[in-house]
């Protein structure tokens, strides 16, 4: 194996939670509300079972060859040619996922906080600690998640509790007045825009210390992150209504700006930004790590660390070139990204599981005939 470090189950669980919420903290309410309207909170809740099914499928795929990563499983099941092509497709997905997270950070910081700062400066400042984290390996990443994940949870709880005085149930009416096709589209968006991106964890499951409750903890972490995002959608709708929630680019950040309790507890949007940056940092770092590690495994290199800096430079270039502005990103990139999530996290894993089942049945020795 290229990695000798091992993650504890708790560390992997926290990384699962951080990867799920990641950049979704800011953009998830708008994504779901675009089709679900005032019923988006119902769609978000209904998307949780689908998302957990996706996580269960990913874990079942890992159990086919517990000692192999996703890239190695592709080559094992499909052979050297077709498996290499599929593995290369996953690597392209990983580097684009890292680039999209990086670009979201750049767009957010240059439009909300550092208005006069060039976006390339923000991208460079964010990518440097990301590279440092990948260089230090899984053990350091896991320990950092134990330290920083509680900060994300506490800041999110403060946000949800702080805006409760401004919520109005009337903004959720009329309930279930949205067309059924729009509701289904919203449910699919809620499931695969968040849970679908957990496919990157398949690169690191072989490096988790074995424990009988790994699947349970992974599902619970995903469920906790999904419920947190659903609560965020519900609160956003009850404060702003469906129209503003749908068209607000960073609705959670705007939500934090509305907090004002007794003219004393207010202006905590910086805490919201910190929580989002922490979760997005871990998510993009895992994508970058998965790309560098998978590339080394694909070409059977002796180590992945020489690939980290070139991978980071490739991610930087992709983040700059991915779109001219956030409008293009929202209208063009995100719809295609949802279809990509469905493909890489549901369709292809199901296909790989089917191939494994067929090969297992073919290799099973024939039953001996009973002689009288």
């Amino acid at each position: 194996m290229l990695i000798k470090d091992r993650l504890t189950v708790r560390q992997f669980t926290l990384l699962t939670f951080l990867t799920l919420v990641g950049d979704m903290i800011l953009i998830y309410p708008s994504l779901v509300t675009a089709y679900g309207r005032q019923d988006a909170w119902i769609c978000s809740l209904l998307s949780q079972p689908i998302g957990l099914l996706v996580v269960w499928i990913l874990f079942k795929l890992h159990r086919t060859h517990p000692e192999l990563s996703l890239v190695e499983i592709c080559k094992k099941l499909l052979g050297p040619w077709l498996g290499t092509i599929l593995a290369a497709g996953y690597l392209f997905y990983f580097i684009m996922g890292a680039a999209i997270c990086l670009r979201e950070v750049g767009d957010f910081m240059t439009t909300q906080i550092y208005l006069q700062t060039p976006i390339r400066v923000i991208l460079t400042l964010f990518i440097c600690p990301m590279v440092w984290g990948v260089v230090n390996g899984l053990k350091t990443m896991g320990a950092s998640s134990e330290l920083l994940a509680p900060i994300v949870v506490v800041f999110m709880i403060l946000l949800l509790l702080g805006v409760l005085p401004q919520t109005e149930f009337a903004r959720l009416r009329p309930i279930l007045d949205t067309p059924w096709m729009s509701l289904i589209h919203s449910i699919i968006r809620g499931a695969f825009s968040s849970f679908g991106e957990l496919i990157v964890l398949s690169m690191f499951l072989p490096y988790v210390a074995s424990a009988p409750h790994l699947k349970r903890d992974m599902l619970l972490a995903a469920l906790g992150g999904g419920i947190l995002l659903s609560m965020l959608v519900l609160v956003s709708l009850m404060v702003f209504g469906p129209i503003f929630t749908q068209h607000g680019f960073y609705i959670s950040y705007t939500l934090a700006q509305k907090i004002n309790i007794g003219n004393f507890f207010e202006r905590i949007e910086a805490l919201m930004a910190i929580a989002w940056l922490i979760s997005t940092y871990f998510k993009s770092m895992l994508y970058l790590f998965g790309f560098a590690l998978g590339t080394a495994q694909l070409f059977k290199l002796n180590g992945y660390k020489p690939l980290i800096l070139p991978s980071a430079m490739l991610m930087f270039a992709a983040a700059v070139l991915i779109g001219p502005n956030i409008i293009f990103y929202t209208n063009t990139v995100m719809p295609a990204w949802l279809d990509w999530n469905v493909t890489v996290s549901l369709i292809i894993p199901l296909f790989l599981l089917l191939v494994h089942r067929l090969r297992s049945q073919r290799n099973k020795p024939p039953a001996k005939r009973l002689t009288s």
Side-chain angles (χ1 to χ4, degrees):
M1 286 189 177
L2 296 178
I3 299 179
K4 296 182 180 180
D5 294 338
R6 287 293 182 271
L7 291 170
T8 65
V9 175
R10 180 173 63 180
Q11 291 171 346
F12 184 76
T13 300
L14 293 174
L15 287 175
T16 301
F17 172 80
L18 290 172
T19 304
L20 178 68
V21 297
D23 55 334
M24 292 292 113
I25 292 179
L26 282 187
I27 66 176
Y28 183 82
S30 300
L31 290 175
V32 181
T33 311
Y35 287 91
R37 303 175 189 174
Q38 72 275 3
D39 297 317
W41 65 280
I42 300 177
C43 298
S44 182
L45 290 175
L46 293 177
S47 70
Q48 304 304 309
I50 301 175
L52 294 178
L53 176 63
V54 170
V55 177
W56 181 80
I57 291 173
L58 300 183
F59 189 82
K60 290 289 290 185
L61 179 61
H62 159 69
R63 295 306 302 171
T64 60
H65 297 88
E67 73 284 357
L68 302 181
S69 70
L70 178 62
V71 168
E72 295 171 318
I73 289 176
C74 291
K75 295 181 66 177
K76 181 76 173 180
L77 293 179
L78 301 180
W81 292 103
L82 185 58
T84 298
I85 295 174
L86 183 58
Y90 270 114
L91 293 179
F92 182 66
Y93 173 81
F94 293 155
I95 194 64
M96 290 305 298
I100 285 177
C101 290
L102 183 62
R103 180 56 185 263
E104 287 175 348
V105 172
D107 284 333
F108 171 76
M109 299 298 285
T110 54
T111 58
Q112 303 295 322
I113 300 177
Y114 299 111
L115 304 182
Q116 302 299 322
T117 304
I119 190 171
R120 288 173 175 81
V121 175
I122 301 297
L123 299 182
T124 304
L125 291 175
F126 193 74
I127 206 172
C128 287
M130 194 187 309
V131 171
W132 182 250
V134 177
V135 168
N136 281 275
L138 276 181
K139 189 174 181 180
T140 302
M141 293 169 58
S144 300
S145 67
E146 291 180 299
L147 177 66
L148 297 176
I151 296 178
V152 176
V153 175
V154 170
F155 286 176
M156 290 299 299
I157 292 176
L158 284 177
L159 169 67
L160 296 175
L161 294 179
V163 296
L164 281 182
Q166 303 182 45
T167 57
E168 293 184 16
F169 185 78
R171 294 192 174 99
L172 301 178
R173 297 172 181 167
I175 297 177
L176 294 179
D177 190 52
T178 309
W180 285 106
M181 290 304 299
S182 297
L183 290 177
I184 294 173
H185 197 163
S186 181
I187 292 172
I188 295 174
R189 273 198 166 199
F192 289 97
S193 61
S194 53
F195 290 91
E197 297 183 352
L198 293 178
I199 184 65
V200 69
L201 297 177
S202 299
M203 293 296 299
F204 306 103
L205 274 168
Y207 310 107
V208 181
S210 59
H213 50 83
L214 173 60
K215 179 175 70 173
R216 181 201 66 187
D217 290 353
M218 186 178 178
L219 290 172
L220 287 177
L223 178 61
I227 291 176
L228 183 63
L229 293 177
S230 297
M231 293 299 298
L232 193 58
V233 173
L234 177 61
V235 171
S236 299
L237 289 172
M238 295 177 69
V239 173
F240 293 117
I243 296 178
F244 192 85
T245 301
Q246 173 185 349
H247 296 287
F249 287 127
Y250 307 113
I251 192 64
S252 302
Y253 184 75
T254 308
L255 199 64
Q257 293 176 326
K258 296 280 291 182
I259 296 177
N260 186 353
I261 301 178
N263 293 324
F264 173 74
F265 188 71
E266 58 182 347
R267 304 296 297 178
I268 68 164
E269 61 269 17
L271 301 182
M272 183 67 212
I274 290 172
W276 179 72
L277 288 173
I278 290 174
S279 58
T280 305
Y281 168 75
F282 277 97
K283 183 175 182 177
S284 54
M285 184 166 54
L286 285 175
Y287 271 110
L288 178 61
F289 200 166
F291 176 78
L293 176 63
T295 303
Q297 292 172 341
L298 182 64
F299 294 101
K300 298 182 179 179
L301 303 180
N302 294 327
Y304 68 91
K305 289 191 176 181
L307 300 176
I308 295 175
L309 185 57
S311 301
M313 296 173 66
L314 181 62
M315 179 178 65
F316 179 87
V320 173
L321 299 175
I322 201 170
N325 50 52
I326 190 174
I327 304 296
F328 178 88
Y329 166 79
T330 304
N331 296 336
T332 305
V333 176
M334 287 307 298
W337 187 256
L338 176 65
D339 297 336
W340 207 357
N341 282 343
V342 175
T343 303
V344 301
S345 64
L346 180 63
I347 298 176
I348 295 179
L350 286 176
F351 170 71
L352 292 175
L353 286 173
L354 177 61
V355 171
H356 173 72
R357 184 176 183 85
L358 294 176
R359 292 186 64 175
S360 299
Q361 291 179 350
R362 186 183 65 182
N363 296 331
K364 186 182 299 183
K368 294 183 179 180
R369 295 182 179 179
L370 297 176
T371 58
S372 56

